[in-house]
Amino acid sequence: MGAENAAVILRSASKAIAFTGAGISTASGIPDFRGPKGLWKTYPEEFASINYLSDDPRGFWEFYSTRMGSIFTAAPNLGHLALADLERLGIIKVVITQNIDGLHGLAGSRNVIELHGNMRRCYCSKCGAPYSSSEVLRMIGSGTNPPLCTCGGVIRPDVVLFGEEVKMMPKAISAANSSDCVLVVGSSLTVSPANSIPYLVKQHGGRLIIVNEERTPFDEIADLVIGGAAEDVLGELVAFMANRV
Ligand code: APR
């Protein structure tokens, strides 16, 4: 029922966008942060901060290398594939994601704004030289922790760490300001400034659809809230949108 109602709202939109969080990737084997088995239930958020990278680069990479390793075994799931289908059907114009796993691109979504970067890419924090995550994981695996650039600088993931500026916000705000509907998938909507994106769409009269396994602080202002697994709900939604049911 929820997916059918979402299809009705999306059919009436002319510039719908998607806004995704870690919940869309849990079915790919990548844990989320604040769900029942979320990462921040085991580790302090500080582990993903610029201060921790600066103060204890070895400890940072001990934490981050396990996270980074998970993306090399993860594949896009039905949720990612459904959003790529909705883009091909001309329904979703852009995916704005908080995720750093690159799975939307691998699923075939072409217009993706990676608000928090992408941990498949790394760079030297001193000279900016680019490195691939597989290179960095090889360095760490052979005992070089923290991974060092040829210039001697510490290599870091190309992601936004807590305490850093979200440089992609202006692009995301522009997409939100020209959208008349936002489909939120798999986010607790608790981290700013990212969580202002869906609010912006609602604020200027757009529609807000939330697909999430748990309640969010935005449920009260949403036009539609669908409690359920992204990979299930989005699969049903594509079927309705493609008039397959
Ligand atoms: N389907 C739908 N919802 C799901 C699923 C699923 N298969 N799996 C988990 N969820 C829900 C969880 O219940 C939770 O409410 O997805 C939400 C994920 O919320 P968070 O773990 O807070 O992830 P997110 O909102 O992306 O966090 C934002 O916080 O730590 C930072 O930079 C990190 O980008 C991240 C940001």
Side-chain angles (χ1 to χ4, degrees):
M1 189 58 186
E4 193 168 4
N5 293 338
V8 169
I9 294 174
L10 283 165
R11 276 201 200 97
S12 68
S14 59
K15 282 205 77 176
I17 64 175
F19 178 87
T20 66
I24 199 170
S25 295
T26 52
S28 297
I30 299 177
D32 65 10
F33 299 95
R34 298 172 187 82
K37 299 190 190 113
L39 218 52
W40 303 144
K41 297 277 195 299
T42 311
Y43 300 98
E45 279 190 10
E46 181 67 20
F47 274 18
S49 71
I50 184 60
N51 290 340
Y52 189 45
L53 172 61
S54 311
D55 299 345
D56 181 1
R58 185 181 176 78
F60 173 89
W61 274 109
E62 270 162 16
F63 166 70
Y64 226 89
S65 53
T66 44
R67 281 203 72 206
M68 199 170 262
S70 70
I71 57 171
F72 290 102
T73 50
N77 64 59
L78 290 175
H80 300 104
L81 296 170
L83 287 183
D85 284 344
L86 289 174
E87 184 184 61
R88 272 190 288 275
L89 288 168
I91 289 136
I92 291 291
K93 306 301 180 194
V94 61
V95 174
I96 300 171
T97 187
Q98 300 171 95
N99 300 340
I100 57 175
D101 54 35
L103 291 180
H104 285 300
L106 289 180
S109 288
R110 298 158 65 88
N111 203 354
V112 181
I113 298 174
E114 293 179 317
L115 271 184
H116 294 159
N118 187 320
M119 66 173 159
R120 294 173 188 271
R121 302 187 301 263
C122 295
Y123 63 90
C124 172
S125 45
K126 191 171 168 191
C127 72
Y131 288 83
S132 71
S133 298
S134 34
E135 274 177 287
V136 170
L137 290 178
R138 271 196 300 277
M139 285 187 204
I140 294 171
S142 61
T144 308
N145 184 2
L148 297 176
C149 175
T150 46
C151 80
V154 172
I155 299 170
R156 56 160 292 168
D158 186 9
V159 299
V160 178
L161 298 171
F162 283 115
E164 292 188 305
E165 183 195 355
V166 183
K167 294 191 174 72
M168 294 305 283
M169 273 306 283
K171 193 171 177 195
I173 289 168
S174 164
N177 283 335
S178 61
S179 166
D180 58 358
C181 179
V182 56
L183 172 65
V184 173
V185 184
S187 178
S188 62
L189 292 173
T190 53
V191 172
S192 69
N195 64 357
S196 63
I197 295 301
Y199 184 73
L200 272 175
V201 177
K202 187 67 190 163
Q203 200 180 28
H204 68 241
R207 311 290 292 278
L208 170 58
I209 303 168
I210 297 174
V211 178
N212 205 54
E213 279 184 338
E214 293 175 288
R215 295 192 57 73
T216 81
F218 285 44
D219 288 2
E220 279 69 41
I221 63 167
D223 296 270
L224 175 64
V225 177
I226 305 173
E231 58 277 15
D232 299 336
V233 173
L234 294 189
E236 288 166 39
L237 175 57
V238 169
F240 280 115
M241 296 306 295
N243 291 319
R244 288 204 295 263
V245 288

